Amino acid sequence: MARQSGIIPLKGTIGNITFYKTKAGHLAREKGGVDASRIATDPAFVRTRENGAEFGRAGKAGKLLRTAFRAMLMNISDSYMSSRLTREMVKVIQADATNVRGKRNVIDGEAELLKGFEFNSNGRLGGTLYAPFTTAIDRTAGTLKVDIPAFIPVNMLASPAGSTHFKVQVAGAEIDFEAETFVNSSAASTELPIDATPTTVMNLAVNVTANSTKPLFLILGVEFYQQVNGALYSLKNGLYNALALVDISGMPASPGGGSA
């Protein structure tokens, strides 16, 4: 891959060179590679097939997780989020100590490795909300919650220019990666002014299936608004809205002590 440096950027293919545009600029690369049928059958490419299978599994798992939280993800802007999540899902799958290479999966991996994942690298929760908070997942009751003590917004929020109000949101999801289904729920504070008035204590809780045997995920986010003539408008570009995975409960232990 090489960067185009000419006055007029090219798009398309000339000979064995393909010219294309990305967010990183206009690039060029040489066509080539191993024939797909050989990769699919040649014993020399067994590792490639194993890696490909697990990467595909990671991509599918990441898409399911994104779908479960789609309502909140619609309010953030990060064009590389999907690829970043897939990369982290690969790590989850590689932590599977039960299955052989190529057969490893999210269920037998370590879903907890996703804790702390920032859905918006442009507006990270860790660099947006400085108020302390605690999380808890009660698998028996099917309750996921975030508790935030009272705080002064102007001191404890890194708010984008033009914003006058904010809202704190949580969402929980119970995800069945094998059946590709999920149960989700969300809750939010009211829209609050970004000023020196302390907030009330926030106890935001959501519910999924009680006694679930599936991985449970809890996300926390901050969305910003601008007040114009008494009306609140969401900052639609979502560039600085923060959202992160703050707590995860993977597969519960089986009665025999192993993974379910």
Coordinates of all heavy atoms in Angstrom, one line a residue, residues 20-21 43 52 57 68 83 86 110 147 156 162 169 177 182 192 252:
Y20 N -7.4 3.9 -4.9 CA -8.7 4.0 -4.1 C -8.5 5.1 -3.1 O -7.4 5.5 -2.7 CB -9.0 2.7 -3.5 CG -8.0 2.1 -2.5 CD1 -8.1 2.2 -1.2 CD2 -6.8 1.5 -3.0 CE1 -7.2 1.7 -0.3 CE2 -5.9 1.0 -2.2 CZ -6.1 1.1 -0.8 OH -5.1 0.6 0.1
K21 N -9.7 5.5 -2.5 CA -9.7 6.6 -1.5 C -10.2 6.0 -0.2 O -11.1 5.2 -0.1 CB -10.7 7.7 -2.0 CG -10.8 8.8 -1.0 CD -11.8 9.9 -1.5 CE -11.9 11.1 -0.5 NZ -12.9 12.1 -1.0
P43 N -3.1 -27.9 2.5 CA -2.7 -28.1 3.9 C -1.8 -27.0 4.4 O -1.7 -26.7 5.6 CB -2.0 -29.4 3.9 CG -2.6 -30.1 2.7 CD -2.9 -29.1 1.7
G52 N -9.0 -17.4 9.8 CA -10.2 -16.8 9.1 C -11.5 -17.2 9.7 O -12.4 -16.3 9.8
R57 N -16.0 -15.4 13.1 CA -16.8 -15.6 14.3 C -16.8 -14.3 15.1 O -17.8 -13.9 15.7 CB -16.3 -16.8 15.1 CG -17.3 -17.5 15.9 CD -16.8 -18.8 16.4 NE -16.7 -19.8 15.2 CZ -15.6 -20.5 14.9 NH1 -14.5 -20.3 15.7 NH2 -15.6 -21.3 13.9
A68 N -27.5 -5.2 19.6 CA -28.1 -5.2 20.9 C -28.1 -3.8 21.5 O -29.1 -3.4 22.2 CB -27.4 -6.1 21.9
S83 N -14.5 -2.1 13.4 CA -13.2 -2.8 13.3 C -12.5 -2.9 14.6 O -11.9 -4.0 14.9 CB -12.4 -2.1 12.3 OG -12.1 -0.8 12.6
T86 N -14.3 -5.7 16.6 CA -13.9 -7.0 16.0 C -12.6 -7.4 16.5 O -12.3 -8.6 16.9 CB -13.9 -7.0 14.5 OG1 -15.3 -6.7 14.0 CG2 -13.5 -8.3 13.9
E110 N -13.3 -15.3 27.0 CA -13.4 -14.4 28.1 C -14.0 -13.1 27.7 O -13.4 -12.2 27.4 CB -12.0 -14.2 28.7 CG -11.3 -15.4 29.2 CD -11.9 -16.0 30.5 OE1 -12.6 -15.2 31.2 OE2 -11.8 -17.2 30.7
D147 N -24.6 3.4 39.7 CA -24.9 4.4 40.7 C -23.8 5.5 40.6 O -22.6 5.2 40.6 CB -24.9 3.7 42.1 CG -25.9 2.7 42.3 OD1 -27.0 2.9 41.8 OD2 -25.7 1.7 43.0
M156 N -17.2 18.2 36.5 CA -17.0 16.8 36.3 C -17.3 16.3 34.9 O -17.3 15.1 34.7 CB -17.8 16.0 37.4 CG -17.5 16.4 38.8 SD -15.7 16.3 39.2 CE -15.5 14.6 39.4
G162 N -20.5 24.4 22.7 CA -21.9 24.6 22.2 C -22.9 23.8 23.0 O -24.1 24.1 22.9
Q169 N -26.9 7.9 30.3 CA -27.7 6.8 29.9 C -27.0 5.5 30.2 O -25.8 5.4 30.2 CB -27.9 6.8 28.4 CG -28.5 8.1 27.9 CD -28.6 8.1 26.4 OE1 -29.6 7.7 25.8 NE2 -27.6 8.6 25.7
F177 N -24.8 -15.7 21.9 CA -24.0 -15.6 20.7 C -24.2 -16.8 19.8 O -24.0 -16.8 18.6 CB -22.5 -15.5 21.1 CG -22.2 -14.1 21.6 CD1 -22.0 -14.0 23.0 CD2 -22.0 -13.1 20.8 CE1 -21.7 -12.7 23.5 CE2 -21.7 -11.8 21.3 CZ -21.5 -11.6 22.7
F182 N -30.8 -11.6 21.5 CA -30.5 -10.8 22.7 C -31.8 -10.3 23.4 O -32.8 -10.2 22.8 CB -29.6 -9.7 22.3 CG -30.1 -8.7 21.3 CD1 -31.0 -7.7 21.7 CD2 -29.8 -8.9 20.0 CE1 -31.5 -6.8 20.7 CE2 -30.4 -8.0 19.0 CZ -31.2 -7.0 19.4
L192 N -30.0 17.5 31.9 CA -29.6 18.4 33.0 C -28.7 19.5 32.5 O -27.9 19.2 31.5 CB -28.8 17.5 34.0 CG -29.6 16.4 34.7 CD1 -28.7 15.5 35.5 CD2 -30.8 17.0 35.6
P252 N -21.8 -18.0 33.5 CA -21.7 -18.4 34.9 C -21.1 -19.8 35.0 O -21.1 -20.6 34.1 CB -23.2 -18.4 35.3 CG -24.0 -18.7 34.1 CD -23.2 -18.0 33.0

